Amino acid sequence: MLDLFLQYFVVRLLILSFSIILPLASSCKKISKHITQNRLLEVPLIFNLVISKGIKHKLLYFTFLSLVVADLTFSFLQHDSQPLDGDMSWHIIPARVLKPVLENPLGFDVLLMHHSYPNPNRFFSHWSIKRFYDTTPIYLQRFVSPIDSLYLSSALLKTAIQLFLIYFLSLFISGTWRVQKLNFVIASVLVFPLFQTNGYQGYMGIIDMSPTYTFFYALPFLMLLTYSIPLLVESRSSTKPEFRILLRILFIPIGLVCSLSGPLNPGIILIVTVLLYLKYIRKGYLKSAFQGPLKRMVDGVQEIPTHFWFYLIPISLFSLYSLYVGSYNSNNQALPLKELYSNLPAGIYFQFTQKLGMPILLISILLNIILLKTKNKNGEVRELLTIYKWIGLFSIVYIILLPLGGSREYRPNVLRYDTIIPITFCLMYIFGSSSFYLIKSLTKNQLNLYIPFLLGILLIFTYADKAQFDKNSCERETLKQLSESKEDLVQIPADCKLLSWGRILDPKESELNAEFLFRCGITNKRVLYFNKH
């Protein structure tokens, strides 16, 4: 595994070095006079390659594509090396206390009888993790061993989520959804190193190391991004999409699924909806020819695009319902709101001061924005800066409202890497989009300074995200021990946490885990275990 990592890093370093040498070599050649300025914008000036269908263009495309594939492969190997977590069996078997949420998908028991139980507004997260691990490992056992199938299932899921998140970022940054476009893969290369599987994961991670938390945070967030696609298409396109009415109707149940998945989606939906509506109301209010504030407000409301009402109102109502049902969550700690807000500054401080990841990303973004402001503020620059301002406003409102979601024992300071996933994603977008525009628009002399800086940032994140392919080695050995045991009770090593957040001293605490391992085919009977004292 170590050799594989070294090979990967050498390949990545060679490719990045190639991307520095290539523009220097290309700058010695004369650019054909018949190439227009519009052509230059299609391929970043960093490379001085303007032959859209020539061999240089194809070579550049496949170079970056190979880098994306190498990154994705490396991430998959990292995910495959992550340990299991202490909540998996609790959700998958499931524990008796979780049966109410699985039996009440829409939380009507809360609405009608005011019952309190764990996560009443997160049915689809509970259902998806149970369904996934009930089926996927069994299917994969046609090709791999039962032990490998368990880790492979988690790795495939995490890698797929990461791939689609990078796809969305590349789409938003490049403006094209076509993977075969050079600009698309360049955008992917700009953001891929920011996804930390190890390294800075505990401070800016989106894909959680824990399989369980991936189902409650990254996956619901990906679903929400998917829900936004038709909204963005209708907002950007000058032509009306075919079957738009049918599409709007079909997306209503998807909005319900998004609202009842994970703890973050309802808050994100409501904040984004309010900010978008305020943006258009303000625009219409300022444009209004009327004098009275009421009439101008009516003009402001009329400025809101029609499709916004179809896509945002139903999902917002579902989110309000989700928040109400979630207020009966028995997992929430009963802490005074004043105490939650008093803990928030500590969460912000620790998030941005303990590791270099977030500070480096924020400094890079700040420098990029300064460079953008030095450019002539054409339409594209003004649009980017406006988007960044709205993202900043969203982030501020989101953090201010974060304590209203309550606190958990493992998250005493409210703000943590998992609760700020939407902000982290937005920061990745700002970094990628600002870097992408600067690559296209800076002069050659400016690029000679900017490109080493940009590659240095990407290499810092690449180097920080260590391989650590042995993180679940003790687990694998222990699972092998359990699978080969003929006893009903097994003592496992003291320092190995298997499907637990801590050491298991009482064998009864492993009952759900034993049931889970039996169902996965890892053991041929229910084998209890405990850690050596």
Side-chain angles (χ1 to χ4, degrees):
M1 285 296 186
L2 182 59
D3 290 339
L4 185 61
F5 169 70
L6 291 174
Q7 291 173 22
Y8 160 80
F9 191 75
V10 169
V11 169
R12 182 174 179 83
L13 191 59
L14 286 174
I15 293 175
L16 289 173
S17 300
F18 175 73
S19 66
I20 300 176
I21 296 171
L22 183 60
L24 295 178
S26 300
S27 63
C28 300
K29 299 181 180 181
K30 294 183 179 180
I31 301 175
S32 302
K33 293 183 179 180
H34 68 278
I35 301 297
T36 62
Q37 184 65 20
N38 288 333
R39 278 292 184 187
L40 286 174
L41 290 177
E42 289 183 8
V43 182
L45 289 173
I46 173 179
F47 304 106
N48 290 322
L49 297 174
V50 293
I51 305 175
S52 60
K53 295 183 180 179
I55 189 172
K56 293 180 180 179
H57 183 98
K58 293 180 179 179
L59 176 63
L60 195 59
Y61 172 81
F62 284 108
T63 298
F64 278 106
L65 182 61
S66 64
L67 184 54
V68 171
V69 172
D71 269 321
L72 190 64
T73 303
F74 180 63
S75 294
F76 168 78
L77 294 173
Q78 287 179 306
H79 292 315
D80 190 52
S81 303
Q82 296 295 334
L84 307 174
D85 68 69
D87 285 341
M88 291 182 68
S89 302
W90 199 68
H91 288 86
I92 298 164
I93 296 304
R96 185 178 301 175
V97 71
L98 284 182
K99 289 185 178 180
V101 67
L102 292 171
E103 293 171 353
N104 296 275
L106 302 182
F108 287 153
D109 270 10
V110 170
L111 183 65
L112 301 176
M113 292 174 280
H114 304 289
H115 287 175
S116 178
Y117 52 86
N119 301 335
N121 62 333
R122 298 169 197 172
F123 164 78
F124 290 102
S125 292
H126 285 278
W127 177 86
S128 59
I129 184 173
K130 177 173 173 53
R131 183 64 178 166
F132 182 82
Y133 283 104
D134 277 346
T135 57
T136 308
I138 303 301
Y139 175 79
L140 291 176
Q141 286 172 25
R142 301 177 185 181
F143 314 101
V144 298
S145 70
I147 294 175
D148 288 338
S149 71
L150 190 55
Y151 292 100
L152 183 58
S153 299
S154 301
L156 289 172
L157 175 78
K158 292 180 181 181
T159 306
I161 294 174
Q162 182 173 336
L163 177 62
F164 281 109
L165 288 173
I166 289 171
Y167 179 88
F168 278 113
L169 278 171
S170 303
L171 166 64
F172 298 152
I173 291 168
S174 66
T176 178
W177 57 271
R178 296 183 178 181
V179 180
Q180 65 268 32
K181 291 290 186 179
L182 177 59
N183 283 347
F184 186 94
V185 292
I186 290 175
S188 299
V189 169
L190 288 173
V191 296
F192 220 123
L194 304 181
F195 281 79
Q196 299 282 289
T197 306
N198 298 310
Y200 302 133
Q201 194 279 335
Y203 297 88
M204 57 180 294
I206 291 182
I207 311 296
D208 206 290
M209 291 186 291
S210 158
T212 299
Y213 284 82
T214 301
F215 279 90
F216 283 80
Y217 288 89
L219 182 59
F221 183 67
L222 176 61
M223 292 168 57
L224 187 56
L225 289 175
T226 304
Y227 180 87
S228 71
I229 291 301
L231 176 66
L232 294 173
V233 169
E234 291 201 37
S235 298
R236 294 280 184 174
S237 178
S238 56
T239 58
K240 296 180 179 179
E242 296 183 13
F243 311 112
R244 68 185 186 280
I245 300 298
L246 179 61
L247 191 64
R248 292 170 179 176
I249 295 174
L250 290 176
F251 262 67
I252 291 177
I254 298 177
L256 178 64
V257 172
C258 289
S259 301
L260 296 176
S261 296
L264 304 184
N265 280 2
I268 298 171
I269 292 164
L270 292 173
I271 294 172
V272 170
T273 299
V274 170
L275 291 180
L276 283 174
Y277 274 55
L278 286 177
K279 174 186 174 183
Y280 283 97
I281 290 173
R282 177 179 178 273
K283 180 181 177 182
Y285 186 89
L286 294 176
K287 284 171 45 180
S288 176
F290 292 105
Q291 297 298 321
L294 184 60
K295 292 183 177 180
R296 295 182 73 181
M297 183 65 70
V298 171
D299 278 355
V301 173
Q302 291 176 346
E303 186 72 22
I304 299 172
T306 304
H307 60 276
F308 272 41
W309 299 101
F310 286 93
Y311 288 112
L312 294 179
I313 294 301
I315 196 173
S316 296
L317 294 176
F318 294 147
S319 296
L320 286 170
Y321 173 75
S322 177
L323 291 177
Y324 170 75
V325 172
S327 66
Y328 287 84
N329 189 346
S330 61
N331 284 341
N332 288 342
Q333 285 185 302
L335 294 178
L337 196 58
K338 181 179 179 181
E339 183 177 343
L340 292 175
Y341 272 101
S342 65
N343 292 340
L344 183 60
I348 297 172
Y349 174 79
F350 285 114
Q351 190 66 30
F352 295 97
T353 59
Q354 300 304 297
K355 289 282 187 177
L356 290 174
M358 270 295 187
I360 289 175
L361 182 59
L362 290 172
I363 292 171
S364 304
I365 288 172
L366 179 61
L367 291 174
N368 279 357
I369 291 176
I370 291 173
L371 288 174
L372 283 177
K373 289 186 174 182
T374 61
K375 306 293 295 179
N376 293 327
K377 290 189 178 180
N378 56 35
E380 189 174 355
V381 172
R382 284 197 298 271
E383 182 180 4
L384 282 175
L385 293 176
T386 300
I387 292 173
Y388 299 164
K389 289 177 183 177
W390 282 101
I391 288 176
L393 180 58
F394 164 82
S395 301
I396 292 171
V397 174
Y398 182 88
I399 291 175
I400 290 174
L401 298 179
L402 199 53
L404 298 179
S407 178
R408 297 291 175 89
E409 183 180 353
Y410 55 83
R411 196 170 55 224
N413 294 324
V414 181
L415 189 147
R416 202 174 71 155
Y417 71 94
D418 46 8
T419 60
I420 60 166
I421 281 178
I423 296 177
T424 304
F425 185 85
C426 288
L427 291 176
M428 291 179 177
Y429 164 75
I430 295 175
F431 173 80
S433 58
S434 57
S435 300
F436 185 80
Y437 180 84
L438 290 170
I439 287 172
K440 293 194 302 179
S441 60
L442 291 177
T443 64
K444 294 178 184 178
N445 291 333
Q446 291 172 329
L447 284 172
N448 288 336
L449 297 174
Y450 181 71
I451 293 306
F453 160 76
L454 180 60
L455 293 179
I457 296 299
L458 297 180
L459 281 173
I460 288 174
F461 284 101
T462 299
Y463 179 77
D465 196 19
K466 304 291 186 181
Q468 297 184 349
F469 291 142
D470 60 347
K471 293 182 72 172
N472 59 19
S473 57
C474 86
E475 278 189 0
R476 288 179 179 269
E477 289 297 322
T478 303
L479 288 173
K480 185 178 179 181
Q481 177 188 354
L482 294 177
S483 67
E484 295 174 349
S485 175
K486 300 184 184 301
E487 305 295 330
D488 294 331
L489 180 62
V490 176
Q491 179 179 270
I492 65 174
D495 58 347
C496 189
K497 301 174 184 177
L498 178 62
L499 290 168
S500 174
W501 297 114
R503 297 172 64 200
I504 294 178
L505 302 180
D506 184 354
K508 289 184 179 180
E509 296 177 9
S510 68
E511 287 180 350
L512 282 178
N513 297 344
E515 178 68 24
F516 175 56
L517 296 177
F518 172 69
R519 290 189 188 181
C520 288
I522 293 175
T523 59
N524 56 14
K525 59 182 178 179
R526 293 163 184 82
V527 180
L528 300 181
Y529 61 89
F530 64 98
N531 289 97
K532 184 178 180 180
H533 295 281

